[in-house]
Structures are given as C-alpha cells and as structure tokens.
Amino acid sequence: MRLRVPVRGPAALKVVAAAGAAAAPVELVWGGPSEPPRAPRRPPWAPALELESGAVLFSPNAICQFFFLCRGDDPTDLGTQWLEWEATELQPAAAAALYTRLVLGGRALEAVGALRELLAHIEQSLARTGAAFLAGDAPSVADVVVWGTLFPVLQEESSVPGKRGTGGGPRLAGLWESRCSLVTSRGELQALRTWFQAMTRSEPCRAAADTVLVPEALLEFTSCLQKSPRPARPCREPPATSPRCSPCPRTAPVGLQLRAPHWDLLSPQEEEGSERALTEDEIAAAADAWARGAAALPRPWQPQEPVLPVEGMRNVLITSALPYVNNVPHLGNIIGCVLSADTFARYCRLRNWNTLYVCGTDEYGTATETKAVEEGLTPQEICDKYNAIHADIYRWFGISFDCFGRTTTPSQTTIAQDIFQRLLARGFLLQDTVEQLRCEGCQRFLADRFVEGTCPFCGYEEARGDQCDKCGKLINAVELKSPQCKLCRGVPIVKPTQHLFLDLPKLEQRLEAWLEQSWATGDWTANARYITRSWIRDGLKPRCITRDLKWGTPVPFDGFRDKVFYVWFDAPIGYLSITANYTPEWERWWKNPQQVELYNFMAKDNVPFHSVIFPCSLLGADDNYTLVNHLIATEYLNYEDGKFSKSRGVGVFGDMAKDTGIPADVWRFYLLYLRPEGQDSAFSWSDLMLKNNSELLNNLGNFINRAGMFVCKFFGGAVPSMVLTPDDKRLLARVTLELRRYHQLLEKVRIRDALRCILSISRHGNQYIQVNEPWKRIKGDEQDRQRAGTVTGVAVNMASLLAVMLQPYMPSISVAIQGQLRIPAECFVLSQDFTCTLPPGHRVGTVSPLFQKLENDRVEALRRRFGGVQAKQTPPAPEIPVAPTDPQRLQELTQEVARQGNHVRQLKAHKAEKAQIAVEVAKLLELKQQLALAEGRSPQVPAPKGKQK
C-alpha cells in the first residue's frame, strides 16, 4: 500500500498517526505544494491510499478505519458513531477555528473557545462511561481520528519543533494545560485532559506530530486556507427531544446524540437562534433580493407526461424500497422508505429539477404463497388485494409517486430474464448443490424468512433464515441452531438441491472501483457506507439467486425451469420494470448514467442488497445501467418502548392512522421530525401531542394565522405598503440564512434537520410580531400605522415563503396556506433568496386556523388503543394443531398451571395490588396456552371480562 499525503493537509496528522497505531505496512509518500488533487471534486489536501488491488481511498476517516481493519480490529457501533460525529460536527468546527487563528489572525481564546461545547461533550462522554478511551478501554480508530482533528487547534506555534524528529511530541502534550485554561477553569474537563495527554504521549501520535507539524507544512497549510472560502460553523438547532444531556442508548456514546451531539450544551444565545452575527453585506444582499420581488424567481418547471430525462437539466431518479405486498406497512416502514423519498422528490420538483419518483409492491416469493394459503386466495388475488391496500395508504399520506406499480408484470419477467442471460453469457453465474431446509409437514422447501432459530454468531433466538436482526449478519438457513418452520413450528430437515449463484467474488473488483467513485461523488448515509464496508471486509461469497418455488419470475435455463428467481435478485429489478410499465422509453432513465442521478431510499436492513448484490448484477450485465449515486438509509423507528407488532396489536399501522382523526399532514410532520437519520428513534404519543401543540399550533400555525389575520383585520384584506427599517432588513437576512441552510441540508438529504429551519423562520416571525405589536401601532399616529403595515407585510410574505418550504413536508397544509393567502402559482418555486412575493395591494383570501390542539384525554385513549389492547379484542387467527408433546412434559406443564393458579388465588385472597395480580394472571394464561399446544389443541384466548363500552 502507498499513502500519499500532501504536506499542507489538515488530515495528514490523523492518517499518519492511524498508520502508525495500526502498524500498517504502508509506503509514505509526501506530496508537493503544487501537486494537483488525486481525484476530481476532492480538496487539494485530501490524502490518498493506493491499495494493491488498484483501488484508491480518498476519505481520511475511511483510510484510518482501513488501517485498523487490516490489523484485525472489527468496527463497533460506538466507534462508528464517534467517527460520524467527528466528520459532521468536530471537523467543521475545527476547520473554522484554524481559519480564525491562521488566516484571520484571531486570538487563541477566540479560536479554541469555538470548540468549547464540543470539548465539553467529549468530557461528558468520557466521564459517564468511565472508560479511558472513546470506544472502550483501549485506543481505537475513533481516538486517533478525534485526536488528530483536535491537536492542530490546541498546539502552540512556538512549540512546533524546528525539524522532524526533535522530540517535540512530549512537549506538545504539556500544552494541553495552557490551551484548556483558555476555555475552562482549572479542574474542569479532567477526563478529557487525561485522554488527550494519553493520546499525545503515545508513540504513534507523538511520531505523527513530529513528522507532520513542521513549520514549512504549517506555512503551506495557511497559504491553502487563505485561498479557500471561510469554513461555516455547523447549524445549531434544538433537537427533536431536547432535554439537556439526556441519557443515550447503550449502543451510542454516552452523551453522544448523533442527531446533533453539540445541542446538549448550547449557550442561551445559541438556543435563541443568534448563533452568529450578520454581516453588512449579507443584510444588503437580502434587502436587494427582497426588492426584486417575484419577477426574480425562476419559472416553475412543468415536465411533460411521461417524465423523461431532459438534456441540460438535472435529471433526478428516485426510488424507495419496494414494500412486501403481503402485509400492511407501519409508521416505521412509511418513514423509512416512501415518506422520506416523497419529501425529497417534492423538494426536487420545487427546485425545478426534472424528477421521476417510482415505487411499487414486491409481490413474488414464499411470503405471498403463504399469505394466500392463510386467506384462501390465489397468490395473484392476494397481490391484487394488498397492492390496493398499500396504494390507498400511500394516497392518504400524500405520497407523490409518478408511478406506483408492482413486480408481477410481463415487463418484470422480460427485464429480469435479460439481466440473467447477460450474466450467464459473461460467466458470472455458478451452479452448485446446496443443502436446504425442507418441512415435511408442509411438504415444501422453506424460504429463508420462514425459518427461525438461534443465530450461530450472536445466539439471538429469533434469527431469520437469511439475516439476524440483532447482529445484522447474513445467515444461510441451514446454519441456524434449533431451526423451526414458522408455518407449523415443525423441525425441518436438510435436503440437497441444485441452484444457481451470482459469482460475487468475480465481480468484487468492479464493485469496489464503482463504490469508491460513488462514495467520492455521491451522498451515502454513514450507516450505508458502514454496512457496505462490512460486507466487503468479510469477503464476498457467491450468492444464490434461485429458489424452489412456483410464485416468481421463472428461470429461463434448462435444468432450472421449475425454479424461480430469489426475491433479492428479482425485487430490485422491479424499479426498472415499474418504470417500463410507466413509459416504453424506460431505458432513458435506467441506461443513462451520464445524464441521470439515482437516489435509493430504504431502511438500513435493505442496504446490502442495494449496495452490493443489485449493483453487482447490473455491473456484470454490462449494459450501461444507471447505478445508485446516493444511497439514503434510515435507522429504525420504534414504537414507544418496544417494536411495532401487527399480531400483538402494538403500534400504528398505515391503515389505522386515518382512523385516529389526526390529519395526514400532522402524521407526516411528526414522522419527519423524528426521522431516524443517525440512530434509532421512537414514536411517542406524548411527544406527538407536544410537537403538535407547541411547534405546529403555537409556533408555525400561530404565526401564519396572525400574519394573514392582520392583513384582513387591519388593512381590508390587501397587503399594505412597506418601508423597511434596518431591523426589518436584518430579519430578511436572518430568514435568508435559514432558507439557504434549508437548501444545504435537503441537498444532502438531511430531511429532519431541514425541517427545523422552517420552524426557526416561524419563530423569528412570532418574535418579530411580538416585539413590534402591530395591533397596538395600528391605533397610533401615521408613523405607527405605517410601521404596523410594514410589519404585517413582511410577516405575510414570510408566511408565503413558509408555504413553499412546507410543501415537501406538509403538502395539504401548504395548499391551504396558498389558498388563504392567494399565493400565485408562479411563486411556488424555491430559490436561494427570500423575495417579496405578495406585494402591496395583493389581496388575501379568508384566513382560518391551520391546526387543532390535541388534548391529553384523546391522546391517552389512542395510546391505550394502540398499546396491544386491540389485539386482545380481536379473535385470534386459528392455530395449526401440533402433535401432542411427550407425557413427561405434559405432566410438568399441568403441575405448573396448577401452581400458578394457586398463586393467583392467594394474591386475590390477600387483596394484592391489581398490577401485581395482572402480571401473574398473564403468566397463568401463557402457561395454559403452552399446555393446550402440548396437548395438540388450539389455545383459546379468553374474552375480556367486565362491561363492554
């Protein structure tokens, strides 16, 4: 391996230290000051690791992680989250601090003080865990990376050694005391001090500092910074759930909230949104943009039907993971795929990007066959039924598909078989005999998802036959310990059968080259990159693409014509076939990587199939297919304190949401507000009520309603004339900053964070109205009345802007605001500037409240309804009787039922608390059901006692 490091690079320290810490066998090559970047779109200071395979890594953190992987260190969730935090939070702040110190000549106090909250955050995490290092008791790649970013900011220029190898490292370690004293009193940040000293005194870090931080390198780096734009500090908005220093899940760094780790320790000024002062140039530019009015806006783009790529435009192709047809999606499914993709698609259209959004139901496979047996229908009838259910749910949620299709079509067969034939002709398919589980009771080979057992890797007892939900590792069903058929709970046997495999090892080099290019130029979420790397790190293996089923795309190859394609070879091809059913010119989207940008949206469990298996199929087919540029994966959304479960009646499912009486746009808002972008999040009824009543009703709705009502009440329904003061112009600049931040976040598909920009603008609007009190000024003299008119006119134009910004998130509310304010259709487009779209004289319509308060009694009733109660009130599905258990087990269960029954009676006799009795009764019922099963009977769930309301 060869590591090329530009001498002026801020990342040089971390990659050199990581190479030393991992004892990586690399040849270190120093780049010259005038050496161009090693790859397009990469900054000139980016290091490059040239691998023996010919692939090149450009990301500094990926290089560091690669060194530790080569040493045999497996990545941990904790370490990965620290790396993400360093890349998204610490790096920008450190870059801004270095710019302040080296380019602007700022004081050390100013430069280092900018890191105060981030340093305190690391201190908090170290102190809470009690560990010596960030991810445990031994230094990891996370420690090296975070140290490497902090060290250049904390070291004194006067202490940099005059030449390499003079032993400056130990001396530099002592500088921690002087630097920390700039931002804290002595005795604070003790855990951080200890950690920083331990890292700086370690041989790899000390050697890296001696090697990298030489005077000529600092001069060159300063020169590079002077030619660069000033780095921006990260946006600081309150988090979705913002108790300060709130406890974090065990899987995350203690105190480390990946949604916005620095939010835990904001100053009061930052919490109020005044994170930085506005410049005079920004204020003047905002006032100028305002004055240009609606004429400065671009004309909204109206694509022809069907939507096809257009030369010279940005052509965006969006897919969301195809939902299984045999079930009803819950809120987690909806936010993980279709709603996130819909929000981004709507944003793209508002930007005048030529956008096509396709999705549909995944309809082939054993799951469909089994559902058909359960309901007494044919597989096609099941698909027809549930496709309509899915379409109805997504229609209610306002999902704006250009085409919502399905995989059971002739186009699917044609395209899938063509890709198969091309892979076969190019030698990327293998034949092999495999051991497969067969259930003799059901008389069928079992699909992976219809086998459950104990994970051979982590011991999780409910692992599926294809993947363990706990450790995430892929599994062959025959590897499961104690496997069971999910249909009849019988024990399957292993039988040999012939299958076809995709030769992933043969495609691995092509895949790695494509991934490196896609990661360098596209936006992949951190979890998508991590999951993909773990697959490649473990080494790709041939992947079976056929199954012994009837319901699927038939395999067009002699000897295998009685088999069908495996769903994870077949299903992603559904994106192509659904587009083909939408337009016969589908290849203009799917065989056009030169003109088309492809965004895939999914939950993290779908990542390997979209980042490895499907790309390998298309790369092997070698037909100029459009491959994913941006892979956007969410974490999981949980329900209250557990998981969604249709069988147990826990959680809100798509077909139930509209029966709650809560409007679809409120559901959209809340799901997007807590979208699990960096870590798992949880739906909470109490939090839904809080966000509806505070953010929607009291903040957003209150501002828009007041702005419109003032126009109607005080100015006869016509927008008044406006004479802007310096304070008004500062408000315009502040709104413009929020608008541009909104764009920056959505362009990076940080959907949840961009929503906070909308709420921030409405907060500024409420404060503006409250400070200026137009309802009082309208009663004053001419100057006061003019001021009331200006405030009202600016406020109603802010409401007009919010209507457009809200459209991706709450389309129905957006339309309502457009109607109430009579916003012209040509103004429904997003630009980078806040302009006056409702000029003086513009007449508004009838203004009415946009949101209703959610009362606690109603929310508590909904919590009970979806907390499992409805499952008890629903007759259970008939159980398949099983053979009686052996007599000894029957006797044991009979005795346990008797003992538990006596225990319950004693509790009742002694008038124990109802909660304790309920727990013991539940145990008794569970034992009775086990006894019924052991006797070969279907267990009967007793009807609830008491009066029926």
Side-chain angles (χ1 to χ4, degrees):
M1 294 185 293
R2 177 177 296 174
L3 178 61
R4 292 184 176 273
V5 184
V7 295
R8 60 184 177 275
L13 185 62
K14 67 167 77 167
V15 295
V16 173
V26 296
E27 176 189 355
L28 190 60
V29 180
W30 293 97
S34 59
E35 184 175 323
R38 302 289 297 172
R41 298 195 189 183
R42 302 301 295 171
W45 46 260
L49 179 64
E50 300 171 359
L51 305 179
E52 294 177 1
S53 64
V56 183
L57 297 181
F58 294 104
S59 164
N61 284 10
I63 293 171
C64 295
Q65 195 162 30
F66 183 80
F67 288 148
F68 278 77
L69 289 173
C70 290
R71 190 177 76 171
D73 290 11
D74 288 331
T76 63
D77 289 343
L78 191 59
T80 300
Q81 291 174 32
W82 274 113
L83 291 178
E84 181 183 348
W85 178 80
E86 185 273 343
T88 58
E89 308 295 340
L90 183 60
Q91 269 189 44
L98 284 172
Y99 192 93
T100 299
R101 186 78 175 108
L102 299 178
V103 176
L104 302 181
R107 295 176 299 140
L109 174 62
E110 182 182 0
V112 182
L115 300 180
R116 175 177 58 85
E117 292 87 2
L118 299 174
L119 295 175
H121 177 71
I122 301 173
E123 163 72 20
Q124 182 186 57
S125 299
L126 288 167
R128 285 195 177 181
T129 61
F133 298 96
L134 298 179
D137 294 325
S140 68
V141 63
D143 296 280
V144 174
V145 166
V146 173
W147 173 87
T149 300
L150 282 177
F151 192 84
V153 185
L154 300 178
Q155 60 92 26
E156 284 278 3
E157 296 150 356
S158 60
S159 63
V160 176
K163 59 182 180 179
R164 296 182 185 179
T166 60
R171 184 182 175 191
L172 287 171
L175 295 168
W176 172 247
E177 297 295 335
S178 62
R179 279 300 195 203
C180 277
S181 66
L182 294 173
V183 291
T184 66
S185 60
R186 195 169 188 86
E188 293 183 5
L189 304 183
Q190 190 55 52
L192 180 55
R193 292 170 188 267
T194 302
W195 169 81
F196 188 86
Q197 289 174 350
M199 290 301 298
T200 305
R201 288 169 179 164
S202 67
E203 180 58 33
C205 294
R206 186 173 60 196
D210 286 346
T211 303
V212 173
L213 297 179
V214 294
E216 56 267 27
L218 286 176
L219 289 173
E220 184 60 38
F221 177 45
T222 302
S223 175
C224 181
L225 282 177
Q226 289 170 342
K227 300 172 185 176
S228 305
R230 180 173 183 171
R233 284 296 309 276
C235 170
R236 294 172 181 247
E237 291 296 337
T241 53
S242 59
R244 293 194 178 195
C245 310
S246 57
C248 302
R250 294 180 182 272
T251 55
V254 175
L256 178 59
Q257 293 280 2
L258 285 183
R259 287 173 292 182
H262 52 282
W263 286 333
D264 288 346
L265 291 162
L266 297 184
S267 67
Q269 292 77 19
E270 288 170 325
E271 287 183 339
E272 292 170 5
S274 56
E275 58 268 26
R276 75 169 180 84
L278 296 164
T279 68
E280 291 302 319
D281 287 345
E282 288 171 335
I283 295 171
D288 181 61
W290 166 271
R292 291 198 299 270
L297 293 173
R299 292 182 62 82
W301 162 251
Q302 292 296 334
Q304 296 181 345
E305 288 288 337
V307 182
L308 294 170
V310 176
E311 182 75 32
M313 290 192 70
R314 183 172 181 180
N315 299 293
V316 178
L317 176 58
I318 299 172
T319 70
S320 53
L322 306 183
Y324 283 123
V325 76
N326 67 307
N327 56 30
V328 177
H330 57 64
L331 297 181
N333 303 136
I334 291 168
I335 184 58
C337 300
V338 295
L339 179 53
S340 294
D342 175 68
T343 305
F344 185 69
R346 289 175 177 274
Y347 171 74
C348 292
R349 296 180 190 120
L350 286 174
R351 291 295 303 275
N352 278 347
W353 299 341
N354 189 40
T355 304
L356 180 70
Y357 176 23
V358 298
C359 186
T361 44
D362 174 11
E363 301 189 349
Y364 282 135
T366 303
T368 304
E369 288 188 355
T370 305
K371 193 71 172 179
V373 171
E374 289 177 5
E375 298 196 14
L377 301 173
T378 67
Q380 187 62 61
E381 288 171 337
I382 279 289
C383 292
D384 294 343
K385 172 184 175 180
Y386 281 92
N387 175 269
I389 291 173
H390 277 263
D392 183 57
I393 289 169
Y394 302 141
R395 193 179 302 112
W396 186 80
F397 272 96
I399 308 301
S400 61
F401 305 115
D402 291 289
C403 179
F404 182 77
R406 54 201 309 183
T407 57
T408 51
T409 65
S411 295
Q412 176 77 7
T413 301
T414 300
I415 298 172
Q417 290 184 345
D418 177 66
I419 292 174
F420 169 81
Q421 295 287 10
R422 296 182 69 89
L423 289 167
L424 185 65
R426 286 160 178 76
F428 292 118
L429 297 180
L430 303 171
Q431 269 187 63
D432 200 1
T433 301
V434 299
E435 302 291 317
Q436 195 169 340
L437 292 177
R438 179 178 174 84
C439 178
E440 295 301 325
C442 297
Q443 285 295 300
R444 66 194 306 164
F445 283 100
L446 295 176
D448 295 340
R449 285 179 173 260
F450 281 83
V451 184
E452 268 188 358
T454 301
C455 174
F457 300 102
C458 70
Y460 180 56
E461 294 183 354
E462 296 180 12
R464 297 194 311 264
D466 59 346
Q467 190 173 18
C468 176
D469 285 335
K470 185 174 182 181
C471 69
K473 289 187 179 294
L474 293 180
I475 302 169
N476 284 324
V478 293
E479 296 174 345
L480 286 172
K481 299 177 182 177
S482 306
Q484 275 191 333
C485 170
K486 287 185 68 176
L487 303 176
C488 69
R489 291 299 170 187
V491 178
I493 61 174
V494 177
K495 281 199 169 184
T497 181
Q498 281 280 316
H499 280 291
L500 293 169
F501 289 76
L502 180 62
D503 194 351
L504 292 178
K506 200 170 182 179
L507 290 158
E508 189 164 0
Q509 190 168 353
R510 295 190 191 193
L511 177 70
E512 288 182 349
W514 165 74
L515 280 172
E516 185 61 35
Q517 184 271 335
S518 185
W519 287 349
T521 58
D523 292 311
W524 288 48
T525 53
N527 57 356
R529 292 174 184 254
Y530 170 70
I531 291 167
T532 304
R533 286 193 193 104
S534 67
W535 262 60
I536 296 173
R537 182 196 70 232
D538 295 340
L540 297 181
K541 300 175 179 61
R543 187 77 176 169
C544 187
I545 64 167
T546 55
R547 283 293 185 268
D548 289 295
L549 302 173
K550 299 297 182 185
W551 185 245
T553 302
V555 179
F557 187 56
D558 289 343
F560 294 86
R561 296 186 186 274
D562 59 340
K563 301 178 189 295
V564 299
F565 289 128
Y566 179 39
V567 65
W568 275 115
F569 174 79
D570 182 67
I573 298 172
Y575 300 135
L576 285 62
S577 70
I578 289 168
T579 310
N581 288 321
Y582 169 70
T583 171
E585 298 182 80
W586 66 274
E587 292 184 347
R588 291 177 60 182
W589 283 108
W590 286 102
K591 294 185 180 181
N592 189 8
Q594 297 78 20
Q595 288 188 328
V596 174
E597 279 185 80
L598 174 58
Y599 287 79
N600 287 164
F601 285 81
M602 69 203 66
K604 63 182 178 182
D605 57 335
N606 283 337
V607 167
F609 310 106
H610 288 80
S611 67
V612 176
I613 295 176
F614 188 43
C616 279
S617 299
L618 299 184
L619 288 166
D622 193 23
D623 200 15
N624 196 41
Y625 279 106
T626 302
L627 299 179
V628 61
N629 304 96
H630 316 275
L631 201 157
I632 313 301
T634 62
E635 300 293 320
Y636 294 137
L637 176 71
N638 296 315
Y639 180 79
E640 295 281 352
D641 297 325
K643 293 183 178 181
F644 291 89
S645 172
K646 188 79 170 179
S647 62
R648 299 197 310 273
V650 175
V652 181
F653 286 72
D655 56 345
M656 304 170 180
K658 57 185 175 182
D659 296 331
T660 63
I662 298 173
D665 269 19
V666 174
W667 283 110
R668 285 178 63 109
F669 168 83
Y670 184 62
L671 291 173
L672 292 164
Y673 193 98
L674 51 79
R675 183 174 182 262
E677 292 183 0
Q679 64 183 24
D680 292 355
S681 59
F683 173 90
S684 162
W685 284 106
S686 298
D687 192 52
L688 170 62
M689 179 178 69
L690 176 66
K691 296 303 185 294
N692 178 83
N693 296 346
S694 60
E695 293 292 7
L696 292 183
L697 184 64
N698 295 339
N699 176 16
L700 182 66
N702 180 56
F703 168 67
I704 293 172
N705 185 256
R706 292 172 89 189
M709 287 298 296
F710 290 160
V711 176
C712 295
K713 184 176 181 180
F714 301 144
F715 300 98
V719 176
S721 62
M722 293 164 273
V723 179
L724 300 183
T725 67
D727 283 344
D728 298 327
K729 294 177 181 178
R730 276 191 288 273
L731 176 65
L732 301 184
R734 183 67 65 192
V735 171
T736 301
L737 283 182
E738 292 290 352
L739 173 61
R740 292 184 177 179
R741 179 64 174 163
Y742 169 91
H743 283 303
Q744 291 169 358
L745 291 166
L746 278 176
E747 285 173 5
K748 295 292 184 181
V749 204
R750 290 175 59 184
I751 296 170
R752 185 199 62 219
D753 293 338
L755 178 56
R756 281 139 176 87
C757 297
I758 296 174
L759 300 175
S760 180
I761 289 175
S762 62
R763 270 191 289 273
H764 285 303
N766 277 314
Q767 292 167 3
Y768 178 62
I769 289 175
Q770 208 62 31
V771 167
N772 286 280
E773 299 180 322
W775 63 90
K776 291 183 180 179
R777 291 181 180 270
I778 196 67
K779 301 174 184 177
D781 57 20
E782 182 62 30
Q783 185 177 357
D784 276 343
R785 288 195 296 274
Q786 175 64 66
R787 183 63 189 150
T790 299
V791 172
T792 299
V794 171
V796 78
N797 271 278
M798 289 174 66
S800 177
L801 173 67
L802 288 171
V804 185
M805 296 175 70
L806 267 174
Q807 201 268 356
Y809 294 89
M810 307 180 78
S812 297
I813 293 296
S814 174
V815 169
I817 301 169
Q818 184 182 17
Q820 291 183 18
L821 302 184
R822 293 180 178 167
I823 303 170
E826 58 268 21
C827 294
F828 250 66
V829 63
L830 279 170
S831 75
Q832 295 287 335
D833 295 312
F834 174 31
T835 63
C836 179
T837 55
L838 306 182
H842 172 88
R843 297 201 66 82
V844 302
T846 302
V847 177
S848 58
L850 296 168
F851 304 104
Q852 292 184 343
K853 185 178 182 180
L854 280 176
E855 299 292 348
N856 186 64
D857 289 349
R858 180 183 177 191
V859 168
E860 285 304 314
L862 289 169
R863 188 203 307 276
R864 290 192 298 272
R865 174 181 168 189
F866 294 103
V869 175
Q870 75 271 30
K872 297 176 185 176
Q873 295 174 341
T874 303
E879 296 281 346
I880 301 173
V882 297
T885 311
D886 65 276
Q888 183 177 353
R889 178 58 179 157
L890 277 173
Q891 184 178 359
E892 291 172 356
L893 284 170
T894 302
Q895 292 172 352
E896 288 178 23
V897 168
R899 281 196 298 268
Q900 186 67 16
N902 288 332
H903 181 51
V904 169
R905 285 189 288 273
Q906 289 175 4
L907 288 174
K908 290 180 177 179
H910 291 86
K911 297 184 178 181
E913 292 190 1
K914 291 182 179 179
Q916 183 183 2
I917 294 174
V919 170
E920 299 304 323
V921 168
K923 292 180 182 178
L924 176 60
L925 292 175
E926 176 64 22
L927 285 171
K928 287 183 175 179
Q929 290 181 28
Q930 291 181 25
L931 178 59
L933 285 171
E935 292 174 341
R937 296 183 288 108
S938 295
Q940 300 296 318
V941 178
K945 296 181 180 181
K947 295 180 180 180
Q948 299 298 313
K949 296 184 180 180

